[in-house]
Amino acid sequence: MMSAQAAAAHSAHSAARPTATPTKGQHHGLTHLGAMVRFTLRYNWLRLFIWFLLTVGMVAFVAIYYTYLSQHSADFASQFEGLLANPSMLAMLGSVTTVGNADAPLGALVWMKIWMFTALMLSIGMLFLVTHNLRADEDSGRIELFRSRPLGLHSRLGATVIVTAVFSLVIGILIALVSMGLQLNLGTHGTDYGMAGSWVFGLSITMAGWLGIGIAALFNELAPSSGTANTLGTALIAVFYLIRMVAELFSSANGSPSAALWISPLGWAEKMDPWGNNLVWPLFAMLVLFAVFVLVAWIIEDKRDYDGSLIPARLGKAQAGNLMTRVWGLSVRLHRTSFISWAIGVAIFAAVFGSIVQQFASMVADLGLQGLSTAGVNPEYLIIGMLACFISLAICAFTIQSAGMMSLDDSRGLLEAQLAGGVSRLGWILQRLLVTVIGTVLLLLIGGLFFGVSCAASLHDWSYLPLVLGAVFVHFPSMLALLGVVVFCFGWLPRLAIPLGWVFEGATWFALIVLMTLNIPQSVIRFLPFLNLSTVPATTLTWQTGAGAHMLSWWRFFFMLGVALVLIIVGLIGFRRRNVPSN
């Protein structure tokens, strides 16, 4: 092995040695695109596999479960009529023309249950994946290593777009094949709606993935950092979603489709209308939009400087105020934009959830859904508990995102600079965690208030307001437990802090959706976050382990709180012992 001096001399000699001038094709083309595609696949195979499980697996599960329900309920399709009569439900989930028919195709019912969630999840997932491969690598300096080789200027962009776009297409094809394999084209009374609906269903999911890829390609060239690119891209997807929500509300109010729906690309995918009109032309419209996004990104990449952007980074003041000289003050400033965005989103969706409680309760009571019906429990209580759990778990994503910023500061060398001052390691991390916890509590309060007021107004009973608040806040220990996972990894396995945090968040979502439809033993549920506590608002507090479903078992509450505290404390110990920065 070479000594350190020999290695340094070899590096200096290599740096001084003249190198061949790259050709124009290498600078401005797609040189070695194939090699970059292979590298991108190897670099992202695990992430792609996880997204495959989340999308195809979720659709397959819902399809199998709805097949079971249709076989045990003679009027299963007609139970959706109450949901279709609710403008808030249509605005949130959308609908296809055949839902509401007495013999609606099973695939249309599955579409209404899972399509919007899957489409948004895939579009945002592809957005983050593209940013991870482009702007994030540029921020960390890894792209400088790639460009030191004879690699075309646009090879990274081209490889990332090709891999993610083909992956989205494969996801759509697999969903179509699953749909055909489970015979979702058949109506609940046997009418055959044809196989075309299955392909339209799958390709509409593909369109959502392409939308996220195109937006990411553009904002990765416009934004000055990966975080800003993700924020702006997610905001644009949210705007598209809100546009189609407003258009759906106008459609419900006027009794006819609103032309404003076609302003949103998500509206294009929705109105492909599987097993109904089976429109295919929106797919080509999305292809054109996707190509425009990528072409503009290509042009900008050809013009901008390395590590530059068209949107300049906002520079702080020359002299920091008193607030910015404190760790907690700096953390509040860093979280300000993110928190405001989360607060707006939580308020909107919590208000929508509150307005659909009655319709959902009627549906559950009529269908007697396995695993969701509890003898002697008010159906409204059941739905309030379920939706409150969804709201709390969604807010937990902010908790993980906020805690993950500590790991980002560490990997970028910012933590080392902060600890060079007069703050201790323990003081730094406790102040950062305090801001995260307070932000989480405020979002829970916002979500609980908007959910409670909307629910009480729709049910004409204001006694539901404190009940809803309690149903939301009862999951706070579970949120702290997922926060504890991030803190534990930050202390001992800093490179895994962010990935494992999101893995636990995604696994909890999957467990919540899957396990709530099955008869899982209480001995299993009592140890799972967000499921170990009451699934309905607690009307009685008890220490008994065999309490009814309408009672809150305090020992489970403190068990999850204890798990969270142990994880956080062990993480703090690890943070005090390890090197900074972690890389």
Side-chain angles (χ1 to χ4, degrees):
M1 296 178 63
M2 286 192 303
S3 64
Q5 293 84 354
H10 176 74
S11 299
H13 175 72
S14 299
R17 190 171 51 199
T19 58
T21 303
T23 66
K24 181 178 178 60
Q26 291 171 346
H27 271 303
H28 300 286
L30 294 172
T31 304
H32 294 310
L33 174 63
M36 198 65 202
V37 167
R38 293 191 296 272
F39 173 81
T40 304
L41 282 171
R42 290 189 61 184
Y43 186 43
N44 295 280
W45 72 267
L46 181 58
R47 298 179 183 89
L48 295 175
F49 180 70
I50 291 173
W51 280 110
F52 158 75
L53 293 179
L54 289 175
T55 51
V56 179
M58 192 72 71
V59 172
F61 170 78
V62 173
I64 293 171
Y65 184 60
Y66 271 33
T67 301
Y68 166 83
L69 291 178
S70 66
Q71 294 171 350
H72 293 78
S73 177
D75 58 346
F76 176 64
S78 63
Q79 305 301 328
F80 284 76
E81 293 177 358
L83 299 179
L84 293 172
N86 189 305
S88 298
M89 175 58 71
L90 294 179
M92 185 170 62
L93 299 179
S95 67
V96 290
T97 54
T98 50
V99 175
N101 297 345
D103 190 22
L106 188 60
L109 306 181
V110 173
W111 184 99
M112 188 171 182
K113 168 69 176 179
I114 199 67
W115 183 85
M116 187 60 70
F117 177 78
T118 305
L120 288 174
M121 182 175 64
L122 184 61
S123 62
I124 295 175
M126 292 300 99
L127 165 71
F128 277 66
L129 186 60
V130 171
T131 299
H132 176 76
N133 284 272
L134 296 181
R135 195 75 212 192
D137 280 356
E138 191 167 340
D139 292 344
S140 64
R142 283 190 289 268
I143 302 307
E144 202 167 7
L145 297 177
F146 285 109
R147 289 190 171 180
S148 66
R149 308 300 298 171
L151 185 70
L153 177 63
H154 304 298
S155 294
R156 288 188 314 110
L157 174 62
T160 301
V161 168
I162 289 172
V163 169
T164 51
V166 171
F167 173 76
S168 297
L169 179 60
V170 170
I171 290 294
I173 293 173
L174 291 175
I175 289 176
L177 294 176
V178 167
S179 176
M180 289 187 288
L182 295 174
Q183 295 184 318
L184 300 187
N185 55 293
L186 297 180
T188 52
H189 296 312
T191 301
D192 190 349
Y193 285 81
M195 294 297 183
S198 297
W199 289 106
V200 173
F201 184 12
L203 292 176
S204 66
I205 299 293
T206 295
M207 286 177 62
W210 287 349
L211 176 64
I213 296 167
I215 291 174
L218 177 60
F219 281 115
N220 273 255
E221 301 302 323
L222 294 176
S225 67
S226 58
T228 304
N230 283 333
T231 300
L232 293 176
T234 304
L236 183 57
I237 293 175
V239 168
F240 287 149
Y241 180 75
L242 290 175
I243 289 174
R244 59 149 303 279
M245 278 188 67
V246 173
E248 289 282 7
L249 289 173
F250 276 114
S251 298
S252 300
N254 299 329
S256 60
S258 173
L261 188 65
W262 297 102
I263 299 176
S264 168
L266 287 174
W268 305 352
E270 175 186 340
K271 289 309 175 184
M272 289 180 73
D273 196 20
W275 295 283
N277 294 319
N278 287 329
L279 298 179
V280 179
W281 68 262
L283 177 69
F284 298 101
M286 180 62 76
L287 267 175
V288 172
L289 181 63
F290 169 74
V292 169
F293 278 139
V294 174
L295 178 60
V296 173
W298 181 293
I299 295 172
I300 296 174
E301 186 177 46
D302 199 37
K303 302 297 182 183
R304 73 174 176 89
D305 293 333
Y306 170 75
D307 205 26
S309 62
L310 294 189
I311 301 176
R314 293 185 59 186
L315 301 178
K317 297 180 180 179
Q319 294 183 345
N322 291 330
L323 184 67
M324 299 293 288
T325 60
R326 295 171 171 83
V327 174
W328 66 267
L330 176 62
S331 183
V332 169
R333 176 62 183 83
L334 294 175
H335 284 82
R336 183 179 66 183
T337 303
S338 175
F339 178 82
I340 293 174
S341 302
W342 272 97
I344 294 173
V346 167
I348 292 174
F349 286 101
V352 172
F353 279 176
S355 67
I356 63 175
V357 166
Q358 192 169 20
Q359 283 75 16
F360 254 127
S362 299
M363 179 180 175
V364 170
D366 292 340
L367 290 176
L369 297 182
Q370 179 184 7
L372 288 179
S373 57
T374 306
V377 177
N378 187 332
E380 281 80 13
Y381 283 12
L382 185 69
I383 298 304
I384 288 172
M386 182 179 68
L387 296 179
C389 192
F390 286 151
I391 292 173
S392 302
L393 187 52
I395 294 173
C396 191
F398 165 82
T399 308
I400 294 174
Q401 179 190 49
S402 175
M405 293 178 67
M406 298 188 301
S407 184
L408 291 177
D409 283 357
D410 186 16
S411 62
R412 294 169 180 170
L414 301 178
L415 173 56
E416 190 176 19
Q418 295 180 54
L419 294 179
V423 61
S424 66
R425 291 194 181 196
L426 190 60
W428 180 87
I429 192 171
L430 288 178
Q431 290 184 61
R432 293 293 294 261
L433 291 177
L434 178 64
V435 173
T436 296
V437 171
I438 291 177
T440 300
V441 171
L442 290 176
L443 287 178
L444 284 173
L445 181 61
I446 293 171
L449 285 175
F450 276 84
F451 183 27
V453 170
S454 176
C455 178
S458 63
L459 297 175
H460 307 289
D461 186 353
W462 288 97
S463 65
Y464 278 94
L465 179 57
L467 204 66
V468 169
L469 281 171
V472 172
F473 272 94
V474 77
H475 297 291
F476 183 61
S478 297
M479 303 172 76
L480 288 182
L482 265 65
L483 173 64
V485 171
V486 178
V487 176
F488 174 85
C489 292
F490 180 67
W492 296 95
L493 305 165
R495 293 185 62 183
L496 298 179
I498 296 177
L500 280 185
W502 289 115
V503 165
F504 272 83
E505 169 80 1
T508 307
W509 269 110
F510 182 80
L512 180 63
I513 294 175
V514 171
L515 297 183
M516 287 185 67
T517 58
L518 303 174
N519 287 326
I520 302 299
Q522 287 294 317
S523 58
V524 175
I525 291 179
R526 69 182 56 175
F527 296 106
L528 298 177
F530 293 91
L531 290 172
N532 66 323
L533 297 171
S534 174
T535 56
V536 297
T539 56
T540 305
L541 303 179
T542 179
W543 287 98
Q544 300 176 5
T545 59
H550 63 293
M551 298 180 183
L552 170 63
S553 178
W554 276 114
W555 83 264
R556 296 182 186 180
F557 182 92
F558 285 109
F559 167 77
M560 190 54 62
L561 191 61
V563 170
L565 291 178
V566 169
L567 287 172
I568 292 174
I569 291 173
V570 174
L572 295 179
I573 294 173
F575 177 59
R576 293 190 65 185
R577 294 168 61 89
R578 71 170 174 86
N579 292 330
V580 174
S582 58
N583 58 349

